[in-house]
């Protein structure tokens, strides 16, 4: 065996010996993001009942959160009686502790998706925001978090509404489903959920939220994918943290990591060989051609060269090089621009005061007028994910 092959083989063996394949434990800090939600319903001045559920905060790391996510059916009675109007006495309440309660307000809801976005009057230091992760697959370990005992009043020992009263059940993702009719994306799992879990987070082994616990029947438990929440946040300009892709079983991560390292090692030897060969034959360096192209059918994957002069994207054909139809949802007249930094060999993306925002592929919204560097092969989108644009670097 050649020396190179021996080195790679030895490294593979060492790598698999040192990386364990095991289940992960629940990240207890997740509990610092959840709250107990109660809707107190008043009709004609008379209190007629209350319903309960769970919610969790979203936002950015290190900042006090103000916005929280739950299921629509947790607040549907409040909505049905006209809650939120000046002349209505019904209230949505968020409990941090038994005697520490604040009123919450409805920002947006979708009955078909069974989702609701709420906010407090001001940010709170009593809870932390969960990171959102959209990378998950069948077999991934998950944890369902919420307040089922409080909601169903099955546990007489419960004495407060604090995070210490929350319930955590674990399991795995059994199936990923797109629901007929609504088109909403659902996660089927064997982590048990009950009444009161509704609206609580389904988190992965890294402690990042991937779904909203929604319903369970006859051993089948479902969460709405966190992907359905992102449009709510973006429409309402809620800044949130999008986690790196860390989900999945440890074993799968180990194998992927091994593959990356092996590829890197092999790549080094191949690169050295190519450099040596190129030097020996005195071959000229290849020229790089930075490009962008839209994934929308209307553009037919037509590629546009990007140079030092910015390429503008938007609906105005007189000012933009990549032009979208006038009826394209989420796209402004002059939405954003992109240029090429030959020194850094990266693209430079800037939002031009668009109405609906420009977003990186991971869902991060760009600050207006601020230049963001993105690498060849990365993507971004205008307003909505359907308006995706990809970057590419060709050798010519």
């Amino acid at each position: 065996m050649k020396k190179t092959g021996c080195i790679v083989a030895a490294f593979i063996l060492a790598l698999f010996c040192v990386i364990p394949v095991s289940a992960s434990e629940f990240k207890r800090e997740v509990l610092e993001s959840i709250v107990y939600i109660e809707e107190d319903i008043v009709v004609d001045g008379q209190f007629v009942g209350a319903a309960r559920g769970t919610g969790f905060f979203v936002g950015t790391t290190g900042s006090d959160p103000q916005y929280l996510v739950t299921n629509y059916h947790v607040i549907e009675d409040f909505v049905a009686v006209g809650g939120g109007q000046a002349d209505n006495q019904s209230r949505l309440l968020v409990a941090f502790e038994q005697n520490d309660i604040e009123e919450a307000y409805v920002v947006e809801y979708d009955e078909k998706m069974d989702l609701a976005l709420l906010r407090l009057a001001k940010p709170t230091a009593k809870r932390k925001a969960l990171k959102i992760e959209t990378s998950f697959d069948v077999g991934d370990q998950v944890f369902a978090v919420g307040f089922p005992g409080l909601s169903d009043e099955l546990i007489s020992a419960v004495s407060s509404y604090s995070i210490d009263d929350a319930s955590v059940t674990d399991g795995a993702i059994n199936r990923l489903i797109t629901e007929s009719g609504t088109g909403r994306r659902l996660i089927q799992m064997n982590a048990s959920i009950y009444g009161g879990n509704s609206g609580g987070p389904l988190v992965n082994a890294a402690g990042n939220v991937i779904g909203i616990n929604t319903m369970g029947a006859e051993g089948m438990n479902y969460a709405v994918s966190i992907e359905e929440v992102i449009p709510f946040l973006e429409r309402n300009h809620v800044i949130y943290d999008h986690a790196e892709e860390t989900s999945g079983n440890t074993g799968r991560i180990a194998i992927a990591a091994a593959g990356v390292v092996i590829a890197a090692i092999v790549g080094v030897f191949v690169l050295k060989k190519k450099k040596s060969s190129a030097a020996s034959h005195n071959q000229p360096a290849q020229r790089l051609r930075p490009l962008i192209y839209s994934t929308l059918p209307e553009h037919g994957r037509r590629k546009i060269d990007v140079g030092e002069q910015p390429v503008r994207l938007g609906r105005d054909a007189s000012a933009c090089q990549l032009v979208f139809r006038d009826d394209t949802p989420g796209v402004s007249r002059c939405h954003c621009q992109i240029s090429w930094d030959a020194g850094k060999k990266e693209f430079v993306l800037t939002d031009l005061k668009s109405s609906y925002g420009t977003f990186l592929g991971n869902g991060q919204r760009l600050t207006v007028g601020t230049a963001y560097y993105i690498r060849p092969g990365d993507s971004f989108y205008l307003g909505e994910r359907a308006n995706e644009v990809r970057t590419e670097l060709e050798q010519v």
Side-chain angles (χ1 to χ4, degrees):
M1 183 182 289
K2 293 183 179 180
K3 185 177 180 181
T4 300
C6 292
I7 294 173
V8 173
F11 192 86
I12 294 172
L13 180 60
L15 187 63
F16 279 94
C17 287
V18 300
I19 299 181
V21 179
S22 60
S24 301
E25 295 183 355
F26 173 69
K27 304 292 185 184
R28 184 172 173 79
E29 54 265 31
V30 169
L31 299 179
E32 299 175 13
S33 302
I34 67 169
V35 284
Y36 171 82
I37 297 177
E38 177 176 296
E39 52 173 359
D40 287 354
I41 307 304
V42 177
V43 177
D44 296 331
Q46 298 294 319
F47 177 79
V48 297
R52 303 170 176 88
T54 306
F56 61 92
F57 282 94
V58 291
T60 56
T61 303
S63 299
D64 293 341
Q66 184 177 10
Y67 293 87
L68 58 153
V69 175
T70 189
N71 283 132
Y72 167 74
H73 73 257
V74 171
I75 67 163
E76 64 178 334
D77 292 338
F78 174 81
V79 173
V81 300
Q85 299 180 16
D87 58 347
N88 193 289
Q89 296 178 327
S90 298
R91 295 288 181 269
L92 284 179
L93 303 175
V94 168
F96 299 100
E97 300 283 347
Q98 188 163 3
N99 297 314
D100 187 359
I101 298 173
E102 291 186 26
E103 186 173 357
Y105 307 92
V106 177
V107 177
E108 184 178 348
Y109 62 83
D110 188 318
E111 183 175 359
K112 290 183 179 179
M113 291 293 174
D114 199 2
L115 293 174
L117 179 65
L118 312 179
R119 68 170 178 84
L120 302 181
K122 59 182 180 179
T124 178
K126 300 169 187 175
R127 290 294 188 269
K128 298 178 180 179
L130 280 177
K131 287 185 177 180
I132 288 174
E133 184 166 340
T134 55
S135 173
F136 47 86
D137 205 348
V138 172
D140 287 356
Q141 185 179 22
V142 292
F143 301 88
V145 187
F147 294 95
L150 284 171
S151 179
D152 289 347
E153 299 179 353
L154 297 175
I155 305 174
S156 58
V158 170
S159 58
S160 71
Y161 306 106
S162 72
I163 59 177
D164 292 328
D165 294 299
S167 171
V168 179
T169 57
D170 68 330
I173 296 177
N174 304 136
R175 187 183 177 194
L176 299 175
I177 304 168
T178 298
E179 185 179 47
S180 177
T182 66
R184 68 174 176 171
R185 288 162 286 193
L186 296 172
I187 301 170
Q188 180 183 316
M189 74 277 191
N190 57 17
S192 300
I193 58 174
Y194 306 94
N197 272 121
S198 294
L202 182 71
V203 301
N204 60 14
N208 301 323
V209 58
I210 65 169
I212 303 89
N213 302 318
T214 299
M215 56 187 171
E218 299 180 355
M220 296 291 185
N221 304 297
Y222 297 91
V224 176
S225 170
I226 196 66
E227 297 167 288
E228 305 293 3
V229 172
I230 291 176
F232 280 58
L233 303 180
E234 294 178 350
R235 281 196 296 269
N236 293 284
H237 310 295
V238 179
I239 301 175
Y240 60 94
D241 278 345
H242 195 294
E244 297 295 329
E245 297 184 1
T246 55
S247 66
N249 293 324
T250 308
R252 192 164 72 220
I253 294 174
I255 293 171
V260 170
V261 175
I262 292 166
I265 293 173
V266 174
V268 169
F269 284 102
V270 171
L271 184 60
K272 285 183 177 180
K273 185 175 180 181
K274 283 186 176 180
K275 284 184 176 180
S276 176
S277 176
S280 63
H281 290 84
N282 196 28
Q283 293 178 349
Q286 290 182 314
R287 189 165 57 87
L288 301 177
R289 181 190 178 200
L291 308 163
I292 61 168
Y293 65 90
S294 164
T295 60
L296 283 176
E298 67 180 88
H299 294 125
R301 297 179 72 88
R302 179 175 66 90
K303 295 181 178 180
I304 298 177
D305 290 315
V306 179
E308 294 181 0
Q309 294 300 317
V311 171
R312 291 192 172 186
L313 298 80
R315 294 185 289 104
D316 188 348
S318 65
C320 300
Q321 289 73 47
L322 181 57
V323 182
F324 291 76
R325 290 200 310 257
D326 284 341
D327 60 350
T328 305
V331 178
S332 297
R333 189 182 65 84
C334 280
H335 196 106
C336 62
Q337 67 180 29
I338 190 164
S339 59
W340 173 249
D341 188 324
K344 292 187 176 182
K345 290 184 172 55
E346 291 184 325
F347 292 89
V348 184
L349 178 64
T350 308
D351 183 270
L352 301 176
K353 297 183 179 180
S354 67
S355 299
Y356 304 96
T358 306
F359 300 84
L360 302 181
N362 65 4
Q364 178 185 350
R365 182 169 182 156
L366 273 61
T367 301
V368 173
T370 301
Y372 288 75
Y373 281 86
I374 61 176
R375 296 169 297 180
D378 287 349
S379 64
F380 61 95
Y381 59 95
L382 287 64
E384 300 182 0
R385 283 194 179 273
N387 305 323
E388 183 184 48
V389 176
R390 295 187 177 274
T391 63
E392 187 175 309
L393 190 61
E394 285 187 353
Q395 291 184 337
V396 295

